[in-house]
Amino acid sequence: MDMTRNDSPKPNNFIHQIIEDDLSKGLNDGQVVTRFPPEPNGYLHIGHAKSICLNFGTALRFNGRCQLRFDDTNPEKESQEYIDSIIEDVRWLGFEWSGEVRYTSDYFEQLYAWAIHLINEGKAYVDSLSAHEMREFRGTLTEPGKNSPYRERSIEENLALFEKMRNGDFSEGECALRAKIDMAAPNMNMRDPVIYRVRHAHHHQSGDKWCIYPSYDFAHGQSDAIEGVTHSICTLEFEDHRPLYDWFIENLPVPVKPRQYEFARLNLNYTITSKRKLKLLVDEGHVNGWNDPRMPTISGMRRRGFTPASIRNFCDMIGVTRSNGTVDMGMLEAAIRDDLDANAPRAMCVIDPIKVTISNLAEGEQEWFELPAHPKDESMGLRKVPFTRNLLIEREDFAEEKPKKWKRLAPGDAVRLRGAYVITCNEVIKNEQGEVVELICSYDAATKGENPTGYKPNGVIHWVSADNSVACEVRLYDRLFTEANPDADKNRDFHEFLNPESLKVMVNARAEIGLKHAVAESRYQFERNGYFCVDPDSSEQHLIFNRTVTLRDSWAKIQAK
Ligand code: ATP
Ligand code: MG
């Protein structure tokens, strides 16, 4: 595994502390086994990355193992597509699991046997209340529940009914197997939780073998035990389930006794990290699939141009605690900027071009300039850009009436073209609508690597040759939501806050000629414009760049105003 590149020392966190204590007491024979247990009902998102980094990172730190287990007890919502994407995303993040990919469904037979064990011990019963009645009987946070009239069925009767459940003799909702714990328990999860339901559903792994499926609570801890997991790390909303997790482990003949620990889930502003809502965005066409570069999914971020190291570093930066909070999107953006600033070669690309004609250079003449591929890293070498009569500059780098302190081009003014000559704008050509369509400029041959004499250029702007460059499409992405917490207000739907300008497609862009053969997923800094990544749909006939992130955090400025 390529983890050495990600060299920030792994910060200690409270989970690591717990493990160090366990190890010092000689628990678990000195073994540390964790697992990442996604439910294959959607693509992984940045929140999962936090869990992946924690689980795999913890195993790495303690020379332990981390396993990948699909928590697949909900067949109707799951699919092979999700399984494949999750496997790919975990690997792309730079982690490799111990052994084969595992599935909770591999353990259905064992889980069934353990359910029978509970029945035999008088600790589980088949309930024939309807789902609605079950809810009524369950009580509330302030009132105890009531025992089901079926709670005292004999072991024999329960065994027979449970077998009938397995054989498909019941329809969905007709009955369920429940653990017999305590209907008056203050913790609602302990009020005889359902451990098996009837579901006549085809399963992506086990096919039509089963028509009863274990609940999450019944399956999870027992799967941990089967796999020899020592530390079962999950998010805080499962804290209230821990007594139940422990109850099953205590009451079943499991081979080992894993322990559950909870940490705060990652919430990131300007986006959402709920698979259900992300799926809605995909299904309703607000984005172009799960890997749309605006999505906080791993595959979306990858397509956007994030590197695995930047995501891992971000997860290190935010740390692992037990207090819920929201992390600023600016932190994630800073993580990718840091990486790309150091590692992305520079290039020039004019995204919204305006034509510049160099009147004192003949058609067909071409002079090559050499620019460093990286200002601080000589090992990246040089790149060559041609200076010709027909050039392009960014439309916004020209102002007919220049504002105060204008650092770009204006009529009668001079600017330096990055890495090349100083030019002066002598004439502005407009179309019938009065729009500027061309600038007639002259270049100063004495300014190659030298300051001009007698006048001062306004600033330095980027440019490309119109004669010898490569056409490309540039997709400018912005945040998916205009509200920091699109999910926060219970009375307003998150759809209301979708940013209508989250994608702008620029079809007339041109990049320096060296990018002609740029391959998918290669990343560049387009000078003055931001960091960009070649889209996987790109081809030599149709180059497409996705903007990963701007050079600076423009959102922070807007909010400060
Ligand atoms: P969602 O609410 O988006 O459906 P989930 O928790 O149901 O997420 P799982 O596939 O069950 O998704 O998650 C796999 C693992 O990732 C779990 O251990 C879960 O706790 C963890 N996880 C999910 N979302 C986050 C998050 N936002 N931050 C940290 N860990 C997360
Ligand atoms: Mg879950």
Side-chain angles (χ1 to χ4, degrees):
M1 186 185 347
D2 182 15
M3 288 297 296
T4 40
R5 250 180 324 105
N6 177 27
D7 338 319
S8 63
K10 296 276 178 307
N12 217 332
N13 61 48
F14 78 96
I15 302 258
H16 293 166
Q17 193 58 57
I18 289 169
I19 294 178
E20 274 167 19
D21 292 349
D22 287 353
L23 291 176
S24 71
K25 287 183 216 144
L27 291 185
N28 309 312
D29 299 326
Q31 292 256 335
V32 175
V33 183
T34 59
R35 85 287 170 262
F36 174 61
E39 183 178 349
N41 61 351
Y43 281 56
L44 296 182
H45 55 61
I46 183 70
H48 295 112
K50 176 176 179 180
S51 174
I52 291 169
C53 289
L54 175 59
N55 279 295
F56 284 91
T58 298
L60 276 170
R61 184 188 173 100
F62 294 100
N63 280 320
R65 313 196 296 272
C66 180
Q67 289 150 187
L68 174 62
R69 180 205 319 147
F70 287 101
D71 193 351
D72 57 345
T73 55
N74 245 328
E76 291 108 323
K77 293 198 169 148
E78 300 165 355
S79 76
Q80 191 62 41
E81 177 196 347
Y82 296 142
I83 291 175
D84 295 342
S85 75
I86 289 169
I87 288 177
E88 183 172 350
D89 289 350
V90 174
R91 285 222 169 99
W92 179 78
L93 272 177
F95 297 104
E96 191 63 50
W97 46 92
S98 164
E100 300 284 298
V101 172
R102 295 148 208 256
Y103 297 85
T104 299
S105 54
D106 293 341
Y107 314 137
F108 280 171
E109 203 67 61
Q110 175 67 74
L111 293 169
Y112 179 76
W114 279 336
I116 289 177
H117 177 92
L118 288 179
I119 296 176
N120 278 321
E121 299 278 302
K123 290 174 181 163
Y125 61 98
V126 174
D127 196 356
S128 301
L129 289 180
S130 69
H132 172 75
E133 289 166 323
M134 253 190 232
R135 258 195 308 279
E136 302 245 294
F137 276 67
R138 205 165 169 237
T140 64
L141 282 172
T142 49
E143 277 170 54
K146 285 186 299 193
N147 286 352
S148 161
Y150 305 100
R151 200 172 193 262
E152 300 308 327
R153 277 174 164 158
S154 69
I155 291 174
E156 291 67 34
E157 191 183 358
N158 281 318
L159 287 173
L161 286 170
F162 190 46
E163 192 175 341
K164 285 181 86 178
M165 279 174 67
R166 177 181 187 164
N167 290 340
D169 295 345
F170 292 112
S171 55
E172 295 188 10
E174 217 180 323
C175 53
L177 185 71
R178 300 178 72 175
K180 195 169 177 179
I181 307 180
D182 179 4
M183 287 307 290
N187 181 339
M188 305 271 288
N189 293 305
M190 301 301 274
R191 295 186 188 169
D192 291 11
V194 168
I195 58 182
Y196 264 95
R197 282 189 182 81
V198 176
R199 269 201 198 153
H200 295 279
H202 181 82
H203 190 287
H204 48 97
Q205 303 301 313
S206 57
D208 295 314
K209 182 159 181 222
W210 293 90
C211 61
I212 53 173
Y213 289 95
S215 65
Y216 170 89
D217 285 319
F218 187 63
H220 203 90
Q222 281 54 260
S223 301
D224 286 340
I226 292 169
E227 294 179 353
V229 168
T230 55
H231 297 81
S232 179
I233 306 170
C234 63
T235 41
L236 275 177
E237 58 288 11
F238 290 100
E239 186 173 13
D240 288 348
H241 295 241
R242 186 172 359 116
L244 183 54
Y245 185 103
D246 292 342
W247 190 89
F248 287 128
I249 294 293
E250 287 308 319
N251 285 283
L252 287 169
V254 289
V256 299
K257 296 190 172 181
R259 310 267 315 157
Q260 173 182 305
Y261 299 95
E262 309 88 23
F263 70 102
R265 57 192 293 127
L266 167 66
N267 299 304
L268 197 59
N269 65 10
Y270 295 102
T271 192
I272 45 181
T273 45
S274 145
K275 272 189 274 182
R276 190 180 62 78
K277 287 179 185 165
L278 293 174
K279 185 171 185 323
L280 278 181
L281 293 179
V282 173
D283 292 347
E284 295 168 354
H286 299 293
V287 294
N288 302 313
W290 284 96
N291 70 343
D292 185 299
R294 290 167 290 183
M295 293 280 272
T297 51
I298 310 279
S299 53
M301 294 170 66
R302 173 179 179 177
R303 189 166 179 184
R304 175 100 168 227
F306 278 80
T307 58
S310 67
I311 296 175
R312 295 195 303 259
N313 285 338
F314 168 74
C315 291
D316 274 356
M317 263 160 28
I318 57 176
V320 177
T321 68
R322 280 181 59 86
S323 49
N324 275 314
T326 302
V327 172
D328 195 295
M329 177 66 93
M331 267 178 88
L332 180 60
E333 293 171 346
I336 184 62
R337 276 194 198 100
D338 279 354
D339 185 344
L340 297 180
D341 179 38
N343 299 310
R346 276 38 175 178
M348 290 194 284
C349 175
V350 175
I351 293 175
D352 179 18
I354 180 169
K355 192 168 149 53
V356 168
T357 303
I358 305 295
S359 55
N360 54 343
L361 193 66
E363 202 74 62
E365 270 196 58
Q366 181 162 273
E367 180 176 359
W368 289 88
F369 283 84
E370 286 192 332
L371 279 74
H374 194 286
K376 286 175 249 161
D377 186 350
E378 274 182 27
S379 71
M380 288 197 194
L382 295 169
R383 55 192 229 260
K384 287 181 166 183
V385 294
F387 185 76
T388 60
R389 178 178 167 89
N390 301 297
L391 304 179
L392 300 169
I393 66 166
E394 214 70 69
R395 187 167 289 278
E396 62 174 28
D397 281 340
F398 174 76
E400 221 183 343
E401 290 177 35
K402 61 174 176 183
K404 269 190 204 146
K405 296 188 186 163
W406 185 241
K407 290 277 179 229
R408 315 179 207 177
L409 196 59
D413 279 1
V415 286
R416 177 173 297 277
L417 299 181
R418 168 81 104 201
Y421 294 113
V422 173
I423 61 166
T424 299
C425 177
N426 304 314
E427 193 184 338
V428 177
I429 297 178
K430 296 184 180 177
N431 64 12
E432 282 168 7
Q433 287 82 49
E435 298 156 347
V436 177
V437 291
E438 185 179 350
L439 305 171
I440 310 290
C441 300
S442 54
Y443 83 102
D444 182 343
T447 57
K448 185 173 179 177
E450 301 289 338
N451 285 327
T453 36
Y455 65 100
K456 216 171 157 255
N458 274 346
V460 184
I461 63 172
H462 63 278
W463 58 283
V464 295
S465 161
D467 304 303
N468 192 3
S469 56
V470 55
C472 55
E473 176 179 321
V474 172
R475 299 178 181 167
L476 301 175
Y477 296 101
D478 201 344
R479 293 176 180 179
L480 191 49
F481 293 95
T482 50
E483 268 289 313
N485 296 308
D487 243 355
D489 189 340
K490 294 274 171 292
N491 301 315
R492 295 185 67 183
D493 185 84
F494 70 99
H495 288 87
E496 282 182 52
F497 306 118
L498 277 166
N499 179 2
E501 296 188 359
S502 60
L503 170 60
K504 252 191 244 163
V505 180
M506 310 297 287
V507 293
N508 295 318
R510 287 192 84 93
E512 62 181 65
I513 190 67
L515 267 51
K516 190 165 181 191
H517 306 292
V519 296
E521 297 200 354
S522 48
R523 304 175 180 91
Y524 299 90
Q525 184 196 94
F526 288 166
E527 299 196 41
R528 300 176 67 234
N529 270 326
Y531 294 100
F532 291 78
C533 176
V534 179
D535 191 86
D537 283 350
S538 190
S539 65
E540 279 202 25
Q541 290 68 45
H542 187 157
L543 250 190
I544 305 168
F545 289 97
N546 294 320
R547 183 171 69 196
T548 311
V549 68
T550 53
L551 290 180
R552 267 168 233 87
D553 186 356
S554 51
W555 279 76
K557 256 187 283 166
I558 292 169
Q559 286 168 306
K561 266 187 200 167

